[in-house]
Amino acid sequence: ESAEHLKWFRDQVNASEHEQVDTNGDGQINMDDDTVVRLNAKLTADIDLGGESWTPIGEYNNGEEPDEVRFGGYFDGQGHVIKGLNVQPIDGRQSYGLFGYVAWGVVKNLGIVGGTVTFSGTAEGSIGGLTGGMRKISSVSNSYNAGTVINPAGMAGGITGYIGSDASVYNCYNMGKVTGGAISGDDYSESTLRSGEEELPSIIDCYYLEGAG
């Protein structure tokens, strides 16, 4: 496992065509279902990106394809960490982090150590240590950020820049420096993960160490 393997996976996701999947849970593929990029990965070792400029996995673009890339797969860090993450502003991009946008996807068991995710200018953007934004029954769990997240003009969170409809963050913590937020920059979630008809809060069993990192 190496930085080159992670870059390869990133490039495969960002270059893949979306596929329509059963996102409404009715057992059929129909026009009510969303399209996502459903690729999966597991880390088998810690990875050091060495401070090289990183293009996030996935991209939010107000629901417009082909510029929007919705990561809808599974990414399991298996308790490993990614070091030296360096995400800088990219023309036309709105969401920044290791992942730019997670929708119908899962990110778990991962730590971000050191490095910086930053957004500059007056335009609104969303940034987080693990993901810039997440929605549509996506989740980040058992993960943490120990890097720096800076977004003076918009949404910033140690774990995610925003939480949209039916997304959740649980068993996570931030110990990095964050300008503009805490665990999440903004929470627009209506319900998050559901258990039958029960609706659960979108941030569950998480904590934030202010000023750490």
Side-chain angles (χ1 to χ4, degrees):
E1 194 81 28
S2 67
E4 293 306 315
H5 289 125
L6 185 60
K7 293 175 190 175
W8 179 88
F9 177 74
R10 183 264 323 272
D11 292 343
Q12 292 300 304
V13 171
N14 289 350
S16 293
E17 293 186 4
H18 288 77
E19 60 177 309
Q20 197 165 34
V21 295
D22 181 23
T23 52
N24 66 8
D26 66 358
Q28 302 178 22
I29 304 297
N30 51 50
M31 292 302 294
D32 293 328
D33 291 310
D34 280 345
T35 58
V36 300
V37 175
R38 185 149 284 180
L39 298 177
N40 306 319
K42 290 183 178 180
L43 296 188
T44 59
D46 294 345
I47 291 179
D48 190 346
L49 295 175
E52 181 181 336
S53 182
W54 175 260
T55 298
I57 302 168
E59 158 68 334
Y60 177 72
N61 190 43
N62 296 315
E64 298 295 327
E65 295 183 47
D67 295 329
E68 181 163 284
V69 178
R70 308 177 195 103
F71 176 73
Y74 288 81
F75 188 94
D76 187 353
Q78 298 198 118
H80 295 292
V81 302
I82 294 176
K83 305 175 183 177
L85 178 67
N86 175 24
V87 183
Q88 300 295 325
I90 301 171
D91 287 345
R93 178 175 279 270
Q94 301 179 41
S95 54
Y96 299 87
L98 176 68
F99 289 83
Y101 184 32
V102 179
W104 306 102
V106 172
V107 179
K108 61 183 181 179
N109 306 323
L110 179 64
I112 301 295
V113 176
T116 301
V117 181
T118 186
F119 182 82
S120 61
T122 57
E124 184 174 289
S126 60
I127 69 172
L130 275 82
T131 174
M134 51 190 294
R135 58 195 302 259
K136 301 293 186 183
I137 314 184
S138 58
S139 66
V140 176
S141 63
N142 303 321
S143 299
Y144 67 92
N145 172 63
T148 299
V149 178
I150 304 170
N151 188 10
M155 298 172 281
I159 302 299
T160 182
Y162 74 86
I163 302 176
S165 57
D166 295 320
S168 68
V169 175
Y170 58 96
N171 296 335
C172 292
Y173 66 92
N174 175 74
M175 58 183 295
K177 296 180 180 179
V178 178
T179 300
I183 291 292
S184 171
D186 273 300
D187 182 356
Y188 299 119
S189 179
E190 298 172 357
S191 61
T192 74
L193 297 181
R194 299 170 185 266
S195 175
E197 295 301 318
E198 181 182 3
E199 296 185 357
L200 303 176
S202 56
I203 299 178
I204 307 164
D205 293 334
C206 295
Y207 62 94
Y208 175 70
L209 301 178
E210 185 174 3

